[in-house]
Amino acid sequence: MPTKENIQQILISYLEKEARRCGVIRLPLLSSRGKRIPIPIESLCIELPLFLAYSPVEADTLYDSEELGWLIRESFTSALLFDRAVHSNSFQLDEKIVRLSQQLEPGIRLAIVGDPGCGKTTLLTYVTYHYAVRQLPQSSHYKLTTNHQAPISREHWPKHQWIPITLTCRDLLNFDFNEGLLSLVVHQLKYLGYEKKIILALSSLIEDRSSNDRVLLLVDGLDEIPSEEQRLAFSQMLVSQATLYPELTIIITSRIVGFSGIQ
């Protein structure tokens, strides 16, 4: 049975690997001689202006699906690289335009819905990177971060010790969504190439910490589950797990088309 020290070493190893995986991205439209140009995730301004279409605090603030679709389309931007200073006040133009970091708190469940290419995956990639790096020893920070002066964007994010777990829906198409969340996490870790003993230790750690606000579950691309029946099964599984772990913080991204049937 793994000791407490071994579990901590496994967690650090996992966080380092996730930080490396998410620390550099290659945008499809930026290339040189046929090769995509690597860009440090910290140099991207990824906090998209999001329209707060529904808030549990304002439960009467609801829109029909067609109106909601247009509101979401108008509120997103396709620009991932832009001057922070120029746009620093853009979030104040409408009381319902918010940052993800403003909405993120323990136990909250958020759905980010928008058109292709608006930056949903890039946003989740940064969230994974940020919460992986912030829990690593200082010696690892220097190796993994590209800006050692701590960019302004880091200041906005809640300072929680969340273990980021990313589920990429296109990687899970052969999975039986009637199984539990933990099995789904194991399936994703296998897909990412983790060793069996590491997966077992991580899954045990995740199960333990999901019940006390130590896990941040990021589900990317719900619309990429091909059939509405599968998406519904996946969504029902998430709802049941959210009920089982009321402290589990969850963020889901989806295109509008794939989200309309299960919202």
Side-chain angles (χ1 to χ4, degrees):
M1 186 174 183
T3 64
K4 185 176 181 179
E5 290 74 18
N6 288 341
I7 289 291
Q8 186 62 23
Q9 289 177 353
I10 288 171
L11 176 59
I12 293 298
S13 176
Y14 167 75
L15 293 172
E16 283 187 348
K17 186 169 182 177
E18 287 298 280
R20 291 184 189 281
R21 182 175 70 86
C22 298
V24 175
I25 68 170
R26 290 171 170 80
L27 298 177
L29 297 181
L30 295 178
S31 63
S32 175
R33 298 179 181 178
K35 295 183 178 180
R36 292 183 181 182
I37 301 172
I39 302 177
I41 192 71
E42 290 180 301
S43 70
L44 292 172
C45 187
I46 48 70
E47 275 229 78
L48 303 171
L50 304 174
F51 182 87
L52 187 60
Y54 171 75
S55 170
V57 178
E58 304 173 11
D60 58 334
T61 309
L62 289 168
Y63 303 88
D64 62 48
S65 58
E66 184 176 351
E67 182 182 5
L68 178 59
W70 281 110
L71 286 170
I72 291 171
R73 283 187 178 91
E74 291 173 355
S75 67
F76 274 80
T77 173
S78 60
L80 289 174
L81 287 166
F82 58 89
D83 187 346
R84 290 188 180 92
V86 173
H87 293 266
S88 61
N89 295 321
S90 64
F91 298 106
Q92 309 303 322
L93 298 178
D94 188 313
E95 62 180 7
K96 293 191 181 298
I97 300 298
V98 299
R99 293 184 175 99
L100 173 60
S101 57
Q102 292 172 330
Q103 301 298 306
L104 199 54
E105 59 185 54
I108 201 167
R109 283 73 195 258
L110 301 171
I112 300 174
V113 186
D115 287 332
C118 70
K120 302 182 297 297
T121 296
T122 303
L123 179 57
L124 287 201
T125 300
Y126 178 82
V127 174
T128 300
Y129 172 82
H130 174 78
Y131 283 104
V133 167
R134 69 173 288 113
Q135 296 180 72
L136 292 174
Q138 195 62 38
S139 58
S140 297
H141 278 229
Y142 190 83
K143 294 185 293 182
L144 293 170
T145 59
T146 56
N147 188 338
H148 306 301
Q149 299 301 315
I152 295 174
S153 59
R154 287 192 208 168
E155 298 175 3
H156 300 307
W157 296 91
K159 294 177 172 58
H160 295 296
Q161 299 298 308
W162 279 317
I163 302 173
I165 302 294
T166 301
L167 298 178
T168 304
C169 289
R170 65 173 174 271
D171 297 342
L172 307 171
L173 301 184
N174 297 323
F175 184 78
D176 180 1
F177 295 128
N178 292 316
E179 297 187 40
L181 178 62
L182 203 58
S183 296
L184 195 61
V185 171
V186 168
H187 184 86
Q188 180 72 77
L189 292 173
K190 285 181 180 177
Y191 187 91
L192 293 174
Y194 284 89
E195 296 179 10
K196 185 176 180 179
K197 63 179 181 179
I198 302 298
I199 291 174
L200 289 174
L202 278 173
S203 60
S204 177
L205 182 65
I206 291 164
E207 182 177 29
D208 178 59
R209 298 196 180 183
S210 292
S211 60
N212 59 5
D213 181 38
R214 294 295 303 278
V215 173
L216 174 60
L217 180 65
L218 306 165
V219 180
D220 189 33
L222 184 63
D223 58 281
E224 296 193 52
I225 298 174
S227 74
E228 188 167 340
E229 181 181 358
Q230 285 180 303
R231 285 196 299 274
L232 184 59
F234 180 78
S235 301
Q236 290 172 336
M237 182 271 294
L238 276 182
V239 169
S240 67
Q241 297 301 299
T243 303
L244 182 62
Y245 300 108
E247 298 299 316
L248 179 63
T249 305
I250 305 174
I251 306 175
I252 299 171
T253 70
S254 177
R255 298 179 185 181
I256 295 170
V257 173
F259 187 71
S260 59
I262 49 85
Q263 59 185 350

